[in-house]
Amino acid sequence: MKTITACVALLAMLAFVMPASAEVTGKAIMGEPAPQFSLQDQDGKTVSLSDYAGKIIVLEWVNPKCPFVQRHYRAKTMITLANDYRDKDVVWLAIDTRHDSTNAENKAWVTEHHLTYPILNDSAGEVGKAYQAKTTPDMFIIGKDGRLLYSGAIDNDPSGDKTADRVNYVRQALDEILAGRPVSTPRTKSYGCGVHYGK
Amino acid sequence: MARMKIARILLLLCGFILLLPAFVRAGGGNDRVRASLLASVSSLRPGETFQVGVRLKIAPGWHIYWANPGDSGLATSIKLDLPPGFFTGAVEYPIPTRLDSPGDIVNYIYENEVMLMVPVTVPKDWPVGSPVKVTARVAWLVCQDVCLPGNATLTIQLPTSDQSQGSVADLFVQWNRRLPADADPERVAGISEQISGGASKNQLSGSEQIRIHWKVAPKDIQWFPGPSAGLGPTNVRITTIGDMTTISFQLDQAKHAALESVLAYTISNGTRMGLNIRSGLNSRSPVTTQPG
């Protein structure tokens, strides 16, 4: 009886210490159904990919402390895209896979930048690993049928010093998807800070 | 109770400070790296090729990146400003080291100190003794847990009567030794390559194998793929059996072009060596052989 109580107590403690499970299914493969997941946003509300079935979904890996992310947020790259395509049935979800991230910090980031999309807490790293997200930013676009259509960089300008020849791959892909055309550049190498997975 | 309130206020303040835009903390990347500009000669001779060196001292525990930073980061870059007629070659990067991080994130980095070099050729009609100002604009990303961008604009004048030219010459000798070589006939018997194309359901992909035939296999063999326009090699596997190292990987065939890479290895006296390998070459033939 004592052993059972000790086990239950230990399991209860573990449940308290371990980050909430993301309930992720599958691995991200281009053209295949994208991994489903459920995560909490900065307000603690549960957000599931399946909530948006039938819509085009953009996933943005974010880290407020990363200089690449900070540069894009100063330039309003992501918020402009999210707002430009909102009424075209495009849903924007930001995901924070830092093992030590907090909802409070993300809430402050949402407020500071007047974000119209949530930041989902993936501190357990499961969604990041399912999508093989390696950098912040790292961008994924899921089509209306749930298949992965784009994976890679936000644009072709890691240093941020291109002018006339800068291509925003996400905008380009969204325009092609909405026009019913195949994505011409479905896969690019993302750039940014490394995602801070836990050990 | 008052202490809890103060603690909470302090925590909130910390949060706000952390979220201040990066330009407020722009000095960070410049604080962690000290850059200096050196030349391998003290005066210029017409038609001669010399080297400009950018010496970077990195704070302990932090790192900057190789020509291909790997899965994340940003390559350390140098742009030289010289008078018309001077020819500048590609930046020469010493052999990097490999950093593995959780989430299968692989980076190619430098720690503590590195000197990047650029070959410069003086015009044939350069008036002897004529002064020249060399300006280098250097940019890096220095990371530990956080990443900080940094940059420096450095100038030197040539000719120079700098008294420390002796130790500067030593630096160039030391760092030139750490550049990968184009051949290693003492240790490499030959290099062969096999390319096969394939089409899977979703994309065209090519598989490549580079085989290094050793005279005597060295230790700690690592492979560093260079920068590429597309995705770069994926599913990289390196195995050494006996006197043969096989590097196999997949490369996006649509963007199949020559891939430059560096093979690093440690020889019997403990010296770390590097070998430049050029593969791919748009060839569909099964085997291309180059001498060691």
Side-chain angles (χ1 to χ4, degrees):
Chain A
M1 215 38 204
K2 259 195 196 161
T3 323
I4 294 174
T5 318
C7 270
V8 170
L10 189 63
L11 279 170
M13 271 167 52
L14 279 173
F16 196 70
V17 163
M18 301 271 274
S21 167
E23 300 168 57
V24 193
T25 56
K27 282 260 178 206
I29 298 169
M30 191 58 57
E32 300 291 314
Q36 294 292 309
F37 59 82
S38 290
L39 291 173
Q40 280 190 3
D41 73 5
Q42 71 280 0
D43 295 320
K45 182 179 134 212
T46 300
V47 173
S48 304
L49 199 64
S50 55
D51 294 343
Y52 306 107
K55 299 202 189 252
I56 298 166
I57 305 166
V58 178
L59 302 180
E60 169 209 340
W61 256 260
V62 73
N63 170 1
K65 293 195 187 143
C66 169
F68 294 91
V69 171
Q70 290 163 350
R71 167 166 70 77
H72 277 298
Y73 273 75
R74 276 199 303 279
K76 298 193 185 344
T77 311
M78 282 77 175
I79 187 70
T80 304
L81 277 169
N83 290 342
D84 281 356
Y85 290 89
R86 168 159 312 100
D87 59 3
K88 300 193 169 104
D89 254 3
V90 175
V91 173
W92 195 283
L93 302 172
I95 301 181
D96 179 3
T97 297
R98 288 176 299 160
H99 67 98
D100 54 356
S101 72
T102 63
N103 284 344
E105 189 187 341
N106 289 331
K107 209 172 152 105
W109 187 255
V110 166
T111 307
E112 181 191 343
H113 291 279
H114 312 288
L115 296 186
T116 53
Y117 48 84
I119 301 182
L120 309 183
N121 188 321
D122 181 39
S123 51
E126 290 169 40
V127 181
K129 284 179 182 162
Y131 281 80
Q132 291 158 76
K134 297 219 159 131
T135 59
T136 54
D138 206 343
M139 309 300 301
F140 299 81
I141 303 178
I142 300 165
K144 289 184 177 175
D145 61 358
R147 287 175 191 272
L148 186 64
L149 297 178
Y150 177 79
S151 159
I154 176 78
D155 61 22
N156 64 347
D157 191 11
S159 297
D161 52 16
K162 284 195 164 93
T163 46
D165 48 347
R166 183 183 295 154
V167 175
N168 187 301
Y169 293 124
V170 171
R171 183 177 288 281
Q172 181 179 272
L174 286 173
D175 287 342
E176 287 165 337
I177 295 166
L178 289 165
R181 293 198 302 271
V183 174
S184 56
T185 311
R187 189 87 180 77
T188 60
K189 186 183 177 197
S190 69
Y191 66 79
C193 310
V195 170
H196 291 168
Y197 290 98
K199 303 266 176 280
Chain B
M1 270 336 255
R3 216 178 288 155
M4 281 267 292
K5 205 173 175 186
I6 292 170
R8 218 182 292 157
I9 292 171
L10 280 173
L11 258 167
L12 262 169
L13 273 173
C14 280
F16 272 110
I17 289 167
L18 281 171
L19 290 169
L20 280 176
F23 65 77
V24 172
R25 292 182 286 123
N30 291 4
D31 294 339
R32 304 289 185 287
V33 176
R34 276 208 322 275
S36 53
L37 190 62
L38 308 160
S40 64
V41 296
S42 48
S43 60
L44 301 178
R45 281 201 288 270
E48 159 193 76
T49 298
F50 67 98
Q51 281 176 314
V52 166
V54 175
R55 189 182 186 194
L56 299 156
K57 290 190 180 171
I58 306 151
W62 294 73
H63 57 265
I64 62 174
Y65 295 88
W66 185 54
N68 174 9
D71 290 329
S72 60
L74 193 70
T76 307
S77 66
I78 302 173
K79 290 187 178 104
L80 287 189
D81 289 330
L82 286 156
F86 279 78
F87 179 77
T88 309
V91 177
E92 294 167 323
Y93 290 87
I95 302 162
T97 55
R98 176 178 163 132
L99 175 68
D100 286 86
S101 301
D104 294 327
I105 296 174
V106 177
N107 293 109
Y108 310 128
I109 61 165
Y110 297 112
E111 291 177 295
N112 300 314
E113 184 182 322
V114 68
M115 186 160 89
L116 306 183
M117 290 157 287
V118 186
V120 176
T121 308
V122 184
K124 288 201 174 80
D125 56 358
W126 189 254
V128 176
S130 197
V132 73
K133 183 170 122 175
V134 183
T135 304
R137 286 173 289 135
V138 190
W140 60 82
L141 185 73
V142 62
C143 299
Q144 194 187 41
D145 284 334
V146 293
C147 286
L148 305 167
N151 62 79
T153 301
L154 311 160
T155 56
I156 46 168
Q157 296 268 22
L158 291 167
T160 174
S161 56
D162 193 338
Q163 298 304 315
S164 66
Q165 233 4 66
S167 61
V168 170
D170 286 344
L171 276 173
F172 277 95
V173 168
Q174 174 195 327
W175 286 104
N176 272 292
R177 278 209 200 106
R178 301 209 206 169
L179 293 178
D182 288 330
D184 184 4
E186 227 182 290
R187 273 158 285 270
V188 178
I191 301 177
S192 62
E193 185 185 355
Q194 202 163 329
I195 304 169
S196 52
S200 63
K201 180 172 152 197
N202 297 311
Q203 60 188 56
L204 230 52
S205 60
S207 297
E208 267 195 59
Q209 280 194 340
I210 301 173
R211 285 198 185 88
I212 297 98
H213 310 259
W214 301 101
K215 289 179 176 168
V216 178
K219 290 201 186 95
D220 299 325
I221 299 167
Q222 289 181 321
W223 187 61
F224 297 92
S228 59
L231 283 176
T234 51
N235 297 333
V236 180
R237 272 180 181 74
I238 309 181
T239 46
T240 300
I241 299 172
D243 288 333
M244 187 154 84
T245 295
T246 304
I247 307 165
S248 62
F249 52 94
Q250 287 192 278
L251 203 59
D252 188 339
Q253 196 169 44
K255 299 171 180 74
H256 207 120
L259 173 72
E260 311 213 325
S261 58
V262 169
L263 188 74
Y265 48 94
T266 304
I267 59 174
S268 50
N269 70 3
T271 307
R272 191 89 178 132
M273 310 263 299
L275 186 66
N276 287 318
I277 298 177
R278 202 154 187 269
S279 63
L281 302 171
N282 276 321
S283 163
R284 298 281 310 250
S285 65
V287 175
T288 321
T289 309
Q290 75 190 58

